[in-house]
Amino acid sequence: SKPPFFFSVTMAVGNAILIVGLAIMIHAAYGASLYRNYLKLTSQGFDSVPIDIAFESLAGLAVIIFGVLIEKSDLKLIRFTAQLQDKQWDNYCNKPSFRVYGKSRSRFVHAQ
């Protein structure tokens, strides 16, 4: 039972996009470490990452998210009503924090 050709192509494209996104993120991390070493060599304080590295990180994150969505194209919808179909009406309004244990408490108090 092999998957259809379309799904194997989208998975391959999704994997390729995911690898490109990971490469972008690794390059951004390498650039941030080089920038940090440059600041140490020039005895400057570290305030924040340069804007180009920040944009590169955000772009890499967006590419990774897109690659995961392309690769996992067979995602299922989450339906709230599907979980509630098997439950009884008494379970819908079950609030254990409002239960009263007055009778069992009196048994424990009188037993001591």
Side-chain angles (χ1 to χ4, degrees):
S1 72
K2 292 182 180 179
F5 178 73
F6 174 73
F7 288 121
S8 63
V9 170
T10 58
M11 288 177 65
V13 170
N15 283 335
I17 292 173
L18 192 60
I19 290 171
V20 169
L22 288 173
I24 292 171
M25 290 297 284
I26 290 170
H27 184 265
Y30 181 68
S33 69
L34 286 179
Y35 178 71
R36 184 78 187 242
N37 287 337
Y38 168 75
L39 291 178
K40 284 181 183 178
L41 288 175
T42 58
S43 300
Q44 297 177 9
F46 181 75
D47 293 334
S48 65
V49 178
I51 195 75
D52 60 334
I53 295 175
F55 281 139
E56 184 178 5
S57 300
L58 290 175
L61 181 65
V63 170
I64 288 173
I65 290 172
F66 184 69
V68 168
L69 289 176
I70 293 294
E71 181 185 5
K72 302 292 182 187
S73 61
D74 58 344
L75 296 175
K76 296 179 183 176
L77 292 176
I78 299 174
R79 296 180 188 229
F80 180 69
T81 57
Q83 295 177 353
L84 298 177
Q85 287 177 350
D86 300 333
K87 293 188 177 186
Q88 302 267 338
W89 175 253
D90 296 334
N91 293 336
Y92 285 123
C93 297
N94 189 8
K95 298 177 182 169
S97 62
F98 293 111
R99 289 189 180 163
V100 178
Y101 298 101
K103 292 180 181 178
S104 60
R105 183 173 174 245
S106 65
R107 277 190 268 153
F108 291 126
V109 170
H110 294 300
Q112 294 178 357

